[in-house]
Amino acid sequence: MRVAITGSTGLVGTEVATVLSSAGHEVVRLVRRAPAPGEKAVLRWDPEKGKVDAAGLEGLDAVVHLAGENIASGRWNAARKAAIRDSRVNGTRLLCEALAGLARPPKTLVCASAIGIYGDRGEEPLTEESPPGTGFLAGVCREWETASGPAARKGIRVVALRIGVVLSPNGGALSRMLPLFRSGLGGVIGGGRQFVSWVALDDLPLIILHALQCVDLSGPVNAVAPRPVTNREFTEALGKALSRPTPLPVPAFALRLAVGREMADALLLASARVLPRRLEETGYRFRFPELGPALRHLLIVA
């Protein structure tokens, strides 16, 4: 396949490009910078200016759309929230309108979304058939998925990949936790009962490859491991993997003071017990379905 990727320099995008190339597929990167002279397999797009090299998209077999502002890179205020929303919704709409206007559009679009669409749902098991929740992130995710409508109406098979907490020592939530936990200062967040729906970085590119190849997949797909855990279970598993104690709980009020109530409640204290029903129904086999082995593997290779 000839596959274009947005967000190809990010944590997930880098791994996806490597996995696709290793599997014999041709990767075309959509980047915001101008391609260097003679640089091949690179297309220019600029979501903020509403520009994309539509001619370069002709004849692709598939597109993997991963681009979006980091939701945890700074304290939420009106400007940060607008950037988070616009980078996802406007970028997706621009790309999908361009794909819909092609004479030879791709057959498949795998478009990132997030389990934030379910909101804070306690212990309720959540599948792709569960309704969206409420709150800022749930609203962003709903708009994000809706923005792919032009591609779907064109007849492109669209997979909305609802990605959980991606575990990697090289970026994301786990990399930020490791210094504290390695120092013996890690601990339960809030009450510790909130569910964490996670996926190992080793699995996520393979899930995307599965979504590209499995014609039975379309619509929402939960990209999470089949064994979500509570924050307390996660804390204990990480402490065990590092052979460190986890004595210091972080109370909810301290988190809210540190990063703001809305951000703390949405990212750190919310509970989403998400299950990958569609992946399991279509035969995807997880490399790391259990948290303990996943953490041990990730920390060995770090």
Side-chain angles (χ1 to χ4, degrees):
M1 290 185 292
R2 187 166 179 261
V3 185
I5 305 177
T6 72
S8 63
T9 60
L11 178 69
V12 175
T14 299
E15 293 296 318
V16 171
T18 298
V19 167
L20 289 177
S21 297
S22 298
H25 303 293
E26 180 185 351
V27 171
V28 178
R29 300 174 186 268
L30 270 73
V31 299
R32 301 184 187 204
R33 59 175 173 80
E39 188 176 18
K40 297 180 180 180
V42 173
L43 298 176
R44 181 84 182 272
W45 83 315
D46 189 336
E48 292 183 3
K49 295 182 179 178
K51 296 180 179 180
V52 61
D53 181 1
L57 298 173
E58 288 282 3
L60 290 168
D61 296 296
V63 175
V64 177
H65 178 39
L66 302 171
E69 185 81 10
N70 188 333
I71 64 172
S73 63
R75 192 181 182 100
W76 287 0
N77 54 32
R80 284 286 304 141
K81 289 168 68 175
I84 289 168
R85 177 200 171 277
D86 292 347
S87 67
R88 287 160 172 76
V89 177
N90 296 348
T92 300
R93 184 180 297 116
L94 170 68
L95 178 63
C96 290
E97 287 176 350
L99 296 177
L102 299 177
R104 294 173 294 138
K107 294 180 180 179
T108 305
L109 168 65
V110 176
C111 187
S113 182
I115 61 170
I117 196 168
Y118 299 114
D120 185 2
R121 304 287 276 273
E123 298 183 2
E124 177 187 356
L126 300 166
T127 71
E128 291 86 352
E129 295 180 355
S130 300
T134 58
F136 168 65
L137 289 181
V140 168
C141 290
R142 288 196 303 272
E143 290 188 73
W144 194 2
E145 293 185 8
T146 299
S148 66
R153 290 189 290 273
K154 179 70 173 183
I156 298 169
R157 178 173 65 90
V158 177
V159 177
L161 211 60
R162 293 175 175 174
I163 301 171
V165 178
V166 180
L167 298 186
S168 167
N170 300 316
L174 180 60
S175 69
R176 291 192 289 272
M177 295 178 191
L178 285 177
L180 280 175
F181 275 76
R182 282 179 168 143
S183 300
L185 300 176
V188 171
I189 293 176
R193 294 184 298 274
Q194 66 273 31
F195 272 89
V196 179
S197 295
W198 59 276
V199 62
L201 183 59
D202 297 70
D203 264 306
L204 189 50
L206 299 177
I207 289 171
I208 290 172
L209 181 59
H210 177 76
L212 289 171
Q213 295 176 328
C214 181
V215 296
D216 293 330
L217 270 180
S218 63
V221 173
N222 291 334
V224 293
R227 308 284 186 272
V229 296
T230 64
N231 174 262
R232 183 172 299 279
E233 291 169 330
F234 187 97
T235 299
E236 292 172 354
L238 183 54
K240 183 177 180 180
L242 293 168
S243 299
R244 293 291 189 276
T246 54
L248 299 176
V250 183
F253 79 86
L255 287 172
R256 290 169 177 147
L257 285 174
V259 302
R261 174 177 289 273
E262 186 177 22
M263 186 175 179
D265 288 350
L267 296 184
L268 301 170
L269 300 171
S271 179
R273 188 181 182 181
V274 184
L275 304 174
R277 176 174 292 177
R278 291 292 289 129
L279 286 176
E280 293 184 318
E281 288 175 345
T282 54
Y284 181 76
R285 297 184 65 179
F286 284 84
R287 288 188 65 191
F288 295 102
E290 303 282 351
L291 179 63
L295 288 174
R296 289 194 293 274
H297 166 76
L298 289 167
L299 296 174
I300 286 171
V301 301

